[in-house]
Every structure is written in C-alpha cells, then in structure tokens.
Amino acid sequence: MSVMRTQVAIIGAGPAGLLLGQLLHRAGIDAVILEQRTPEYVLGRIRAGVLEQGTVDVMELAGVSSRLHAESLTHGGVEIAANDVRRRIAFQDLIGRTVTVYGQTEMTRDLMDARQASGATTIYEAADVALHDIDHDHPRVTWRKDGVTHSLDCDFIAGCDGFHGISRASVPERALTLFDRHYPFGWLGILVEKPPVSEELIYAHHERGFALCSMRSLTRSRYYVQVPEGEKVDNWSDARFWDELRARINPEAAARLQTGPSIEKSIAPLRSFVAEPLRFGSLFLAGDAAHIVPPTGAKGLNLAISDVAMLGAALAEFYGERSKAGLDAYSKKALARIWKAERFSWWMTSLLHTFPETGAFGRRIQRADFDYLCGSIAAQTSLAENYTGLSLD
Ligand code: FAD
Ligand code: DHB
C-alpha cells in the first residue's frame, strides 16, 4: 500500500471540488483531489448554463475567469411565459444586476486546465474511495488504482462528490437529518449547433408541460421539455423533441426556432434535497453532495460554488490564523443560503410545470400566481433578486 499526506483531501472533481482545489492552491494550502471517473467523462456531462454574479466573482478570485469573460454572454433579463401571456423579467432595469451564460463544462475545463498548470495532484479513476476516522482530527482516505491500494492522511476531507458520492454516505445515519421532495417528472434536454431562438432565456409554462429555451453561445442552443417520470431518452427522436418544444412555446418563437441534429440528449430527474448539518467531525460536505435543487431556478451550480467559496475561506482562516471560527460557522452559514435557494427553486418549479396530481384547483392557483407576477413589480423584483442571487446572500 502506498501512503501519502496532504492538508485537505477533496473527494470529487466536479465544479465544487475543482474550484475548492484552486482556491486552496492560491491560499498556499496543499490538497489532493480524488475522482472516480476520467476527465473526459466529467467534461462530457452537459449540465448547468447560468452563472450568478457571485459565481463569476469567485472564478475571478480563483484566477480562472479570463476565458469566461471573453466567451460568456451577459443577460439582463429572462422571459417567463404561460399559455399566451409573456412577461420579461428585466432584472438589469429592476435591480441593476445581470446573469452570465457560460456552460458548466466550460467552467470545469477552465478549472481542470488551471489545476494542471498549478502542478497540484488530481487522481482520476480512483476506485472504491473510502473515508476513515472522520470523527477524529486526522482522517484518512483510501482508494484503489491499477490494482494498488493507496492511503492519504490529511487534516480535513471536503466531500464534493455529488448526490451519489461516498462522502455523505460515510456519515452515520443518526448524525444527519435529510429533507427530500420528489417531483413526478424530469427534464429532457437537447444540445444543438444552431443559434438560440431568442436573445434571452424563455421559461414557458404550457398545458402540455414546461419548456425552457436556453443557450451556450450565439451558435449553440440548449432546450428542455418536461417529461413524465421514468421516460426513456430512446423514446424521443429529435423530430419528436422539436415538435413538442414548438407546441409549448409561443407561436412567434416556434416559427423562428432553428432545429438540427442533437449533439447531446439526456433526461435529468427533478428533486429537492438537503442534508443537515454540512459537517461531521473532519468531513465537510459541499455542493450536490449536500443538497439538490430542481433546475428551474438555475441554482444548483451556483449553490455548489457558494458553498466552496465559504469552505475555502474557512480553511484559509484555519491555516492562516489557526482559527477554527470559520470552520465552525460553515454549516450554519451555508445552509442559510441553501434554504433560500431551495425555496426559490421549489416555487419556480411549482409555477411553471404541470403537476398530474393537483387537479383544476391547482391549475387555477398556478394561473393566479402567474397573473400576480405579471401585475406586480414587487413580485418581479423578488424573482429578479432570487434569480440573480442577490437575495440569497
Ligand atoms: P458534481 O458535478 O456531481 O461532481 C461530483 C463529482 O464527484 C463527479 O465528477 C463524480 O464523478 C465524483 N464522484 C462521485 N462519487 C465519487 C466517489 N465515490 N469517489 C470519487 N469521486 C466521486 N444545475 C443547474 O443549475 N442547471 C441545470 O440545467 C442542471 N442540470 C443538471 C443535470 C443533471 C443530470 C444533474 C445530475 C445536475 C444538473 N444540475 C443543473 C445541477 C448542477 O449541474 C450541479 O448542481 C453541479 O454539477 C454540482 O457540482 P458538484 O461539483 O457539487 O457535483
Ligand atoms: C439552463 C439550465 C437551467 O436549469 C436553467 O434554469 C437555465 C438554463 C441551461 O442548461 O442552459
């Protein structure tokens, strides 16, 4: 068995783990990242696309924002549509804030490149990662690679290994409280090399189900439609997807839509989930390892980044000033923001999707909620504050 030592062991090389690694590297803290997949696999997962200003700020702080600034798009509003009514939520006019459109894969690539340039250690294809002694001051991580078992001694473990990771599962059941909400549908997403249908995102409610028109650049578009739980991608030819999307968005947009062969197509289930607290002994949970939001409010990636910004600062305080105050406060501080994002994501999901179970009363309440949004500057301001991340801080 080979034995190594580091200050912080980071489990998972998704955006949370990679960004934490970069923040720690800049603070002069040694960290090793363990990832069960290959870099190509991690980069092949098409996920989020909308960054809050706070996320862009952290990327700047981490010294990985030059391509983001050169290639991203800045949006000052989104369109929300229900049946035939359309409303632009002009967050730049309402609250002076914008959001940045830049794919999670691009952000991950920038972080991978920075990590490689820094010479810091990332171990990909680490099998059977296991956490030991997390209730002690000197925990340990073991894994297998190429038939050899390795062991890493450390001061802390950052569990950044997503919803299905090993970190949260390593905490004794009695030490965690789990909050879970299930939605009876998923999002079928498609990526296509065609210009987006509109300059800004369109979130559309329709009696056939929710649809979202998004983008990755001025030549690459990302579209989603709500599908029933358990639906299979194989049931959706490109032609069927485009017909369904056109049926759910307004007729002018449908007429403008440029379609083409999909370069990626996948279904993501929707759920709300929080594990409390985010710390157990020497283990700190961050990102999807600790919480999931339904994607409607574009919050999942942004929450993961805000967690690691807090955790990175707390670890820098510990190693710089030998103060445990930041680490002790991490769980409570991060959870305050997480629950605000959970509320907003749940609300926006409830407003825009069709729910098979809610019946006529539920549909009328949804319509009343949408009419209230259209008629109230206060409601639009609230949506803008939440969507851009202002009210989460
Ligand atoms: P992840 O990106 O999940 O990264 C965790 C990493 O840990 C992975 O690379 C994984 O391979 C690794 N790992 C897991 N287990 C182990 C282990 N045992 N040992 C070592 N490594 C391990 N958010 C939005 O805002 N908008 C969206 O449209 C959107 N779409 C999504 C679609 C899908 C299918 C999913 C799953 C999520 C989506 N999200 C979306 C959420 C967003 O992508 C996540 O919030 C974000 O990826 C969280 O980053 P993370 O680094 O915490 O976790
Ligand atoms: C995208 C995903 C979202 O969940 C969202 O709310 C907005 C955009 C996207 O993939 O582009």
Side-chain angles (χ1 to χ4, degrees), residues 11-17 34-37 41-42 45-50 104 126 129 160-167 187 216 224 266-269 286-289 291 293 295 297-302 304:
I11 318 297
L34 295 167
E35 163 63 50
Q36 68 178 359
R37 305 287 191 170
Y41 181 93
V42 174
R45 289 182 301 213
I46 308 297
R47 291 181 172 183
V50 176
Q104 177 169 333
V129 171
C160 301
D161 48 351
F163 184 68
H164 300 287
I166 192 65
S167 298
W187 280 17
R216 290 292 175 272
Y224 298 94
S266 54
I267 295 181
D288 278 18
H291 44 77
V293 287
K299 287 284 161 267
L301 174 60
N302 291 295

Side-chain angles (χ1 to χ4, degrees), residues 199-220:
E199 268 178 42
E200 294 178 341
L201 271 61
I202 303 175
Y203 288 86
H205 170 79
H206 188 276
E207 61 192 28
R208 296 180 68 90
F210 169 76
L212 169 60
C213 304
S214 182
M215 65 194 74
R216 290 292 175 272
S217 70
L218 295 176
T219 56
R220 183 177 274 201

Side-chain angles (χ1 to χ4, degrees), residues 92-106:
Q92 192 158 24
D93 299 339
L94 286 164
I95 57 167
R97 287 175 64 110
T98 57
V99 294
T100 299
V101 172
Y102 193 64
Q104 177 169 333
T105 43
E106 304 308 319

Side-chain angles (χ1 to χ4, degrees), residues 43-199:
L43 284 173
R45 289 182 301 213
I46 308 297
R47 291 181 172 183
V50 176
L51 308 184
E52 296 169 1
Q53 184 58 48
T55 299
V56 175
D57 293 346
V58 183
M59 289 290 280
E60 270 169 23
L61 188 74
V64 277
S65 60
S66 56
R67 197 165 69 96
L68 188 159
H69 284 307
E71 296 181 13
S72 65
L73 304 171
T74 302
H75 285 189
V78 290
E79 184 173 310
I80 310 267
N83 303 316
D84 290 332
V85 183
R86 300 160 59 187
R87 169 69 52 182
R88 178 169 185 259
I89 311 294
F91 28 78
Q92 192 158 24
D93 299 339
L94 286 164
I95 57 167
R97 287 175 64 110
T98 57
V99 294
T100 299
V101 172
Y102 193 64
Q104 177 169 333
T105 43
E106 304 308 319
M107 188 171 161
T108 306
R109 189 186 299 279
D110 294 343
L111 288 163
M112 280 180 176
D113 290 349
R115 186 151 184 93
Q116 197 166 19
S118 77
T121 308
T122 311
I123 296 159
Y124 285 96
E125 298 178 84
D128 299 336
V129 171
L131 281 51
H132 309 271
D133 302 330
I134 53 175
D135 49 350
H136 292 86
D137 277 350
H138 295 289
R140 214 162 43 86
V141 185
T142 56
W143 69 97
R144 266 189 325 102
K145 183 159 176 161
D146 302 328
V148 179
T149 301
H150 303 263
S151 177
L152 179 65
D153 295 342
C154 54
D155 302 328
F156 301 105
I157 301 173
C160 301
D161 48 351
F163 184 68
H164 300 287
I166 192 65
S167 298
R168 191 183 69 252
S170 304
V171 178
E173 246 175 63
R174 59 173 163 75
L176 283 181
T177 307
L178 307 182
F179 302 86
D180 206 352
R181 188 186 181 95
H182 157 266
Y183 301 86
F185 42 73
W187 280 17
L188 169 64
I190 207 169
L191 191 65
V192 62
E193 292 291 358
K194 288 286 175 189
V197 68
S198 171
E199 268 178 42

